[in-house]
């Protein structure tokens, strides 16, 4: 009887030694979330054209080329900081042609967080990004400045 309890104790002690408690890792402070959003052919052409135009300006200043994803992310951040220009009642269609943005965690929470725009407006994250990007493009066409966006 006593031998059985002792053997159980040694077994439980051995298990504790084999499986030390796991440490919880902190996530990176610059963690990014990739959000892809559908684009119409016209919207894609405009985004690529504006990216090329701004790439020439920025390349002369910084020396590195501007990527399409970085440009899209900058436009999205501008739209999120100027939410009053967003038209939430546009036509939306999933065109199966996508472009990408890479938002940092704190900006991503504005869209997909627990109190983000997707939940407030009862839309998907892709729809929110599409509406913001389309609204920013419309704002640029009405006379908005690309230099103001990239400041």
């Amino acid at each position: 009887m006593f031998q059985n309890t002792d053997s159980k104790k040694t077994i439980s002690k051995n298990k504790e030694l084999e499986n030390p408690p796991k440490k919880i890792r902190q996530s990176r402070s610059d963690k990014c979330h990739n959000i892809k959003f559908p684009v119409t052919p016209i919207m894609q052409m405009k985004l690529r054209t504006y990216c090329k135009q701004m790439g020439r300006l920025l390349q002369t200043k910084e020396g590195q080329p501007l990527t399409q994803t970085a440009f899209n992310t900058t436009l999205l951040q501008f739209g999120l900081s100027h939410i009053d220009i967003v038209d939430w009642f546009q036509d939306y269609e999933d065109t199966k042609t996508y472009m990408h943005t890479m938002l940092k965690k704190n900006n991503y929470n504005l869209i997909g967080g627990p109190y983000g725009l997707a939940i407030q407006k009862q839309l998907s994250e892709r729809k929110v990004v599409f509406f913001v990007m389309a609204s920013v493009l419309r704002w640029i066409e009405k006379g908005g400045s690309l230099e103001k966006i990239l400041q």
Side-chain angles (χ1 to χ4, degrees), residues 54-112:
M54 290 313 299
R56 289 187 192 111
L57 284 173
L58 289 179
Q59 190 172 15
T60 58
K61 292 180 183 177
E62 298 175 9
Q64 292 183 337
L66 178 66
T67 64
Q68 185 68 53
T69 302
F71 178 73
N72 293 345
T73 304
T74 304
L75 288 183
L76 182 60
Q77 288 172 342
F78 178 80
L80 291 174
S81 63
H82 297 85
I83 205 70
D84 55 312
I85 66 172
V86 178
D87 178 16
W88 297 105
F89 303 104
Q90 302 177 47
D91 292 332
Y92 174 82
E93 180 184 351
D94 191 356
T95 59
K96 306 294 184 204
T97 303
Y98 300 102
M99 292 186 106
H100 296 266
T101 63
M102 291 293 285
L103 283 176
K104 292 200 176 173
K105 190 174 182 177
N106 57 352
N107 288 334
Y108 172 76
N109 286 335
L110 294 173
I111 295 173

Side-chain angles (χ1 to χ4, degrees), residues 2-4 12 15 19 24 31 40 42 58 75-76 86 88 98 107-108 110 112 127 144 147:
F2 293 108
Q3 291 177 347
N4 289 341
S12 65
K15 285 184 181 178
N19 298 328
I24 299 174
K31 183 178 179 180
T40 62
I42 294 172
L58 289 179
L75 288 183
L76 182 60
V86 178
W88 297 105
Y98 300 102
N107 288 334
Y108 172 76
L110 294 173
K127 281 186 181 181
E147 285 92 17

Side-chain angles (χ1 to χ4, degrees), residues 3-26:
Q3 291 177 347
N4 289 341
T5 57
D6 288 336
S7 64
K8 288 180 184 177
K9 285 182 183 177
T10 57
I11 291 172
S12 65
K13 286 181 184 177
N14 289 339
K15 285 184 181 178
E16 289 175 8
L17 293 175
E18 291 173 7
N19 298 328
K22 295 184 178 180
K23 295 180 182 177
I24 299 174
R25 291 181 18 184
Q26 289 186 350

